[in-house]
Amino acid sequence: MKSLLDRPAPTAAADLTLRRGAARVLIDNWTGASTVPSRTLYPHQWSWDSAFIAIGLRHLSVRRAQQELESLLSAQWADGRIPHIVFNPAVPDDAYFPSPDFWRSSAAGRPAGAPAAPETSGIVQPPVHALAAWLVHRADPEESRRRGFLTRVRPRLAAWHDYLLGQRDLGGGGLAAVVHPWEPGMDNSPCWDQALVRVEPAAPDAFRRADLNHGHPADRPTDLDYGRYVRLVTDYRDAGYDDHAARHTFAVEDPCFNALLIVSERALAAMARETRADAAVHSARADALTRHLMTRLWDDNAGLFRVRDLATDTLVGEDSVTGLTPLLAPHLPPHVVSRLVDTLTGPRFDAPATQLVPSYALTGHAFDAQRYWRGPAWFNTAWLIHRGLRTHGREQDAERLRRGFLSEAGRSDFAEYVDPTTGAARGARHFSWTAALTLDLLCADPKEPTP
């Protein structure tokens, strides 16, 4: 792995200390086949976590980064979906809820092509996987070609995107829809409140939350939120996880989810060129998705992208970090890029205490500095926005965000997220994607091209 070993590592003492700390988190959270987000709060394999983790692992071991993604893809359903959780059978059912016996994937999901083993959830998470696979390949192309990495994963990733662009185009507008607040990864964002009001919550005695054993109630979604999450899972499961048979009380088009699909389609095009396959179909899809994103989700008055509620076919008037992440898309109109940067650096999202990006506008009516995705600043969305700023040549803003990220990651002991107004660490500590993306910002080539 000469090309990996020859890559220069950070030399400043503080950066070396941070790099060692981040590497230790990933080593400690490795299970032998994949990496748990947290040994306590999240003891299984999560979908977009593993993608972010692989992006960081490529700086330590390209082989392990490949294994991280291939482990996840081994649980892919026959219909193409990549489930948001792959359950470790060695972990007791009561360690996490909803547990495998609640999802019943191998039975309820059989018509949709769920594997007999391992047990998984039946919903999905944002499609960052193809981008991760391409970055892992680029970390050591010689090793990747020798092991046939892209040849193995590219068809699976293409099937994943086929599922999203086919069965999940529930609005008919060319974008992928999400059918549960857990799917866009921003579980209890105020963006979902309008749609969740329509969901009758499950009875309190129908479930027992395991997350409160390790997380403070002030940080976590409320019991009412959880009751609605459980109801949505139950209804989807009882419909056999069939996207067309299910009655989707909750269905929205999310900007971040679709922006990642755009970038990952471009990564698939790059993979196709590398493996001498047809790249044109993926480039065309990325172009079409960008047009649909602009047509369906851009709000010029607000200066950011909005969530579209498919039940009412209206944009949701909440200012969330999901509306800024489409900076990732490389071919946005210049005036849209300028508006997004103005919004990012303006009073709604400028958090001077951390230099990170709150998950919901500081000025918003539902802002809560501590509660999960209703205000706290997350490291993965900061990484996405940093990449978007670099994509559009906004190097000064990108560098400011990178410095803020690295400072807070080290100060918070690689926390899951932080209070954007004080910098106080919240959620789990020694969180894997925080550590992985710290490694990436310390080690990645600043000239690395966007696929």
Side-chain angles (χ1 to χ4, degrees):
M1 294 191 293
K2 186 173 184 294
S3 62
L4 177 67
L5 296 174
D6 284 349
R7 183 176 294 110
T11 55
D15 286 352
L16 286 170
T17 299
L18 190 59
R19 187 177 192 271
R20 283 193 293 267
R24 173 51 55 190
V25 170
L26 295 181
I27 292 167
D28 289 347
N29 288 348
W30 175 252
T31 67
S34 63
T35 310
V36 295
S38 159
R39 283 286 179 184
T40 55
L41 192 55
Y42 306 104
H44 300 285
Q45 183 178 22
W46 261 258
S47 172
W48 76 326
D49 292 72
S50 276
F52 287 124
I53 289 163
I55 289 168
L57 277 175
R58 67 187 173 127
H59 302 292
L60 299 178
S61 166
V62 167
R63 180 74 64 87
R64 184 169 287 191
Q66 292 176 0
Q67 188 175 358
E68 184 77 39
L69 293 172
E70 291 183 285
S71 172
L72 178 68
L73 289 170
S74 71
Q76 185 173 20
W77 291 26
D79 67 2
R81 84 182 75 192
I82 298 175
H84 98 294
I85 303 174
V86 180
F87 290 106
N88 181 348
V91 174
D93 278 356
D94 62 1
Y96 181 81
F97 181 84
S99 53
D101 59 347
F102 185 85
W103 293 98
R104 305 174 203 164
S105 65
S106 61
R110 188 179 301 121
E119 293 291 333
T120 73
S121 65
I123 61 174
V124 303
Q125 279 191 321
V128 67
H129 313 87
L131 172 62
W134 178 247
L135 294 178
V136 169
H137 165 78
R138 290 297 304 152
D140 192 340
E142 182 179 340
E143 170 73 357
S144 176
R145 295 183 190 113
R146 188 186 68 79
R147 298 192 68 243
F149 173 64
L150 291 186
T151 303
R152 290 196 306 276
V153 302
R154 187 182 64 80
R156 288 182 171 272
L157 293 168
W160 164 225
H161 290 195
D162 287 345
Y163 166 75
L164 293 175
L165 291 167
Q167 295 188 51
R168 282 301 189 89
D169 183 8
L170 300 178
L175 296 180
V178 293
V179 300
H180 194 289
W182 290 335
E183 290 199 319
M186 304 180 189
D187 302 21
N188 65 329
S189 167
C191 292
W192 323 136
D193 291 354
Q194 171 182 306
L196 284 174
V197 168
R198 298 189 293 268
V199 179
E200 180 67 26
D205 61 358
F207 61 96
R208 186 192 67 80
R209 296 179 63 175
D211 61 314
L212 298 182
N213 295 338
H214 304 288
H216 194 283
D219 290 356
R220 303 294 298 167
T222 65
D223 286 344
L224 177 59
D225 285 334
Y226 246 82
R228 287 171 169 152
Y229 303 157
V230 170
R231 171 67 66 191
L232 289 169
V233 169
T234 303
D235 290 349
Y236 196 32
R237 180 196 67 201
D238 292 350
Y241 299 110
D242 185 321
D243 291 298
H244 295 291
R247 175 178 169 269
H248 294 300
T249 314
F250 179 98
V252 304
E253 293 170 350
D254 175 61
C256 181
F257 196 100
N258 282 281
L260 284 168
L261 188 52
I262 291 168
V263 174
S264 283
E265 277 291 328
R266 296 203 178 279
L268 272 179
M271 289 184 214
R273 288 189 291 270
E274 172 71 21
T275 56
R276 299 184 179 180
D278 181 15
V281 62
H282 299 297
S283 297
R285 279 182 169 184
D287 290 342
L289 280 162
T290 304
R291 292 194 301 271
H292 299 322
L293 187 76
M294 286 297 308
T295 301
R296 293 183 64 77
L297 305 186
W298 174 245
D299 184 340
D300 199 58
N301 291 329
L304 78 172
F305 290 86
R306 299 284 200 193
V307 168
R308 180 173 290 275
D309 184 345
L310 294 179
T312 61
D313 198 25
T314 58
L315 296 180
V316 177
E318 301 287 1
D319 296 346
S320 163
V321 69
T322 190
L324 299 174
T325 54
L327 274 168
L328 282 164
H331 299 306
L332 294 177
H335 83 277
V336 170
V337 173
S338 295
R339 293 298 309 283
L340 286 169
V341 174
D342 288 345
T343 301
L344 174 67
T345 56
R348 283 178 286 175
F349 289 96
D350 184 22
T354 61
Q355 296 183 30
L356 294 179
V357 186
S359 52
Y360 180 73
L362 299 165
T363 56
H365 69 98
F367 176 78
D368 185 328
Q370 297 184 25
R371 195 176 296 279
Y372 220 39
W373 287 95
R374 302 182 78 86
W378 289 71
F379 291 92
N380 67 324
T381 51
W383 184 89
L384 293 173
I385 291 171
H386 171 267
R387 188 171 184 86
L389 290 166
R390 281 188 48 213
T391 295
H392 294 286
R394 304 294 182 124
E395 297 296 340
Q396 186 173 349
D397 291 313
E399 179 57 21
R400 175 176 177 267
L401 186 53
R402 190 186 79 90
R403 289 196 304 267
F405 182 115
L406 296 177
S407 174
E408 296 305 322
R411 190 170 69 172
S412 69
D413 205 11
F414 305 101
E416 187 177 3
Y417 50 89
V418 299
D419 181 325
T421 62
T422 66
R426 311 300 304 187
R429 307 302 190 272
H430 306 115
F431 199 70
S432 290
W433 79 25
T434 303
L437 298 176
T438 296
L439 282 176
D440 190 62
L441 291 184
L442 283 171
C443 303
D445 181 354
K447 298 179 181 179
E448 181 180 66
T450 298

